[in-house]
Amino acid sequence: MPNPNRGACGFQSSEFEQEYERPSKSELKRQMNELQKLGEELVNEARDRVKRVPMPEDVRDAILECQLIKDHEGRRRQMQYVGKKMRTLDEEEVAAIQRTIDSWKGLSKADTAAMHAMERRRDKLLTDDKALTVLLQENPELDVQHIRTLIRNARKEQAENKPPKAYREIFQILKQIAKKQTGGKDDAEEDGVESDEDE
């Protein structure tokens, strides 16, 4: 008996096109993985930062709870729960979270660049006496004698392979100068992020 569903059945194939407009399984899986990664990024951030991210209370609570769990298996299960909560967000909420995370990355890139600039300036102070003259011209309020002593001690530390106490103190002075120029606290410190120099 011929199959009645075969051939011309009285409908146009375009009637079912709408059905295929929804995302494919692999696209849905990719979206789920992206949301899971976004949740993981938030879990790995400082608690103060997470509290400032615009998101529903239940999603934030799941993330903050995950940060407290030390047990590997418990944390893994909570991480899955965070992913599940992330999937309840609409596109606008996800975009707002992504924008916040991107702004942090921009800040940390700027912080890193500023830190490297200070490290280069400190190294120049140790190798080039003119660098000290320039620093003092830009910041006449600095204690000349104190900085000269620090530079001399830092050179000695390097020559004798001693702990870099004076070397770090010079960095802290440069950091204070930079903070004063930018007008207050730097973002890295505000968010509880400390560089190795602060040890």
Side-chain angles (χ1 to χ4, degrees), residues 107-178:
L107 278 175
S108 48
K109 276 182 196 162
D111 290 343
T112 304
M115 193 175 84
H116 289 317
M118 285 186 274
E119 287 170 350
R120 282 192 302 273
R121 188 161 198 185
R122 171 183 59 191
D123 291 341
K124 198 161 184 173
L125 282 167
L126 299 185
T127 56
D128 183 1
D129 291 333
K130 289 179 194 159
L132 177 60
T133 309
V134 172
L135 182 71
L136 294 170
Q137 283 171 348
E138 291 172 358
N139 305 279
E141 75 284 357
L142 292 175
D143 181 348
V144 185
Q145 200 53 52
H146 179 60
I147 291 180
R148 281 206 173 108
T149 304
L150 285 176
I151 290 171
R152 196 168 44 249
N153 290 347
R155 285 173 180 160
K156 196 174 173 186
E157 287 167 359
Q158 285 181 340
E160 297 174 7
N161 273 337
K162 287 187 172 176
K165 190 170 179 280
Y167 189 71
R168 285 190 169 149
E169 207 174 320
I170 294 168
F171 183 87
Q172 292 303 324
I173 289 170
L174 294 174
K175 196 171 172 183
Q176 291 299 322
I177 292 167

Side-chain angles (χ1 to χ4, degrees), residues 5-21:
N5 294 328
R6 277 205 166 154
C9 301
F11 57 80
Q12 296 290 318
S13 60
S14 61
E15 286 180 40
F16 290 97
E17 275 178 12
Q18 191 176 359
E19 198 176 311
Y20 295 104
E21 283 176 13

Side-chain angles (χ1 to χ4, degrees), residues 23-33:
S24 65
K25 279 185 182 174
S26 56
E27 173 63 17
L28 285 171
K29 191 164 175 55
R30 192 182 62 76
Q31 288 174 1
M32 283 167 58
N33 285 340

Side-chain angles (χ1 to χ4, degrees), residues 30-65:
R30 192 182 62 76
Q31 288 174 1
M32 283 167 58
N33 285 340
E34 282 179 9
L35 288 169
Q36 185 77 37
K37 279 184 190 157
L38 200 60
E40 283 172 22
E41 278 192 69
L42 289 166
V43 167
N44 293 327
E45 284 295 340
R47 289 177 73 80
D48 298 351
R49 276 189 164 182
V50 174
K51 288 174 184 172
R52 294 197 301 254
V53 178
M55 69 175 106
E57 202 66 37
D58 59 332
V59 180
R60 182 179 294 112
D61 290 345
I63 290 165
L64 293 173
E65 178 68 29

